[in-house]
DNA sequence: TTGTTGTTTAGCTATTATGCTAAATTGATA
DNA sequence: TATCAATTTAGCATAATAGCTAAACAACAA
């Protein structure tokens, strides 16, 4: 699935408050692109959002948000699709699923083999 | 369960190669404390490991590893128990379980409500 | 008491991360 | 073509991170 370096990249990306908030909102649909709200049915990625819209939710500058988004993209947490002169941002649920599975496996494996631990 | 700041702390802690390796090995039993190997049955936390033993697996200095362990402890990822003049390190599986659950929920919620996404 | 082992703290340096503004780029539109 | 809107790149300042060595501390052993 995910190799160690990929995992570390994901953790690094999510270990920053601004990026974590972006991640959470992108995933839970917390953002809506103002333009798309007017004509959702016209657009195949109507539920996606764009860079400027996300930046509006923060007090940081647009370039700063842009760079945070790049990091989330490089960690494969979000997907960015250019359409005309805008970039639509979507979550990448498969990678988060992989991460959840990897943690769950770790815990399962731990419970199976290390039951003799005293975890007080 | 975990609030946002706790999650960010966990991600920050795991977003470093050395700490990630320590975390992985502590969880999977990759370390064994040399002293305890001689008399495992005598010790209630025989499967645990200690600071010096972990440091032996890295080319970094002992103080450096000590500080990494402190960060993992502060993020609640590991538990450190002092016994005589040694500190035993154990994983904290509950927090990792919480994290796995939180990711899994995110994905489930995403799949339920955002099925109209085109995730190509 | 003196020494030994295990660990942390202090203080330093180098690198990385995070913010900014200004300028560049890209695509759409008048 | 000129302009506008959306985004990124460049260059800079500051803060945080991660490494080191030396020194301190804590518990045990001789």
């Amino acid at each position: 699935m995910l190799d160690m370096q990929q995992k570390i990249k994901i953790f690094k990306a999510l270990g920053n408050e601004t990026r974590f908030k972006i991640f959470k909102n992108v995933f839970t649909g917390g953002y809506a692109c103002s333009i798309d709200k007017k004509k959702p049915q016209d657009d195949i990625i109507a539920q996606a959002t764009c860079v400027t819209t996300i930046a509006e939710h923060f007090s940081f500058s647009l370039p700063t948000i842009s760079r945070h988004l790049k990091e989330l993209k490089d960690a494969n947490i979000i997907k960015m699709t250019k359409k005309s002169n805008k970039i639509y941002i979507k979550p990448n649920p498969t990678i988060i699923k992989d991460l959840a599975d990897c943690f769950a496996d770790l815990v399962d494996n731990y419970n199976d083999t290390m039951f003799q631990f005293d975890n007080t």
Side-chain angles (χ1 to χ4, degrees), chain A residues 74-102:
Chain A
D74 289 347
N76 217 4
I77 294 169
I78 59 171
K79 296 180 184 180
M80 300 174 79
T81 320
K82 188 158 200 170
K83 204 175 179 210
S84 86
N85 65 339
K86 291 176 68 179
I87 290 177
Y88 292 86
I89 288 108
K90 296 182 296 179
N92 179 10
T94 47
I95 205 151
I96 302 302
K97 176 95 175 61
D98 287 351
L99 212 54
D101 289 347
C102 125

Side-chain angles (χ1 to χ4, degrees), chain A residues 17-32:
Chain A
E17 186 164 337
T18 304
R19 287 193 296 268
F20 185 86
K21 285 178 178 168
I22 294 173
F23 152 77
K24 203 180 64 177
N25 278 319
V26 166
F27 251 82
T28 56
Y31 300 124

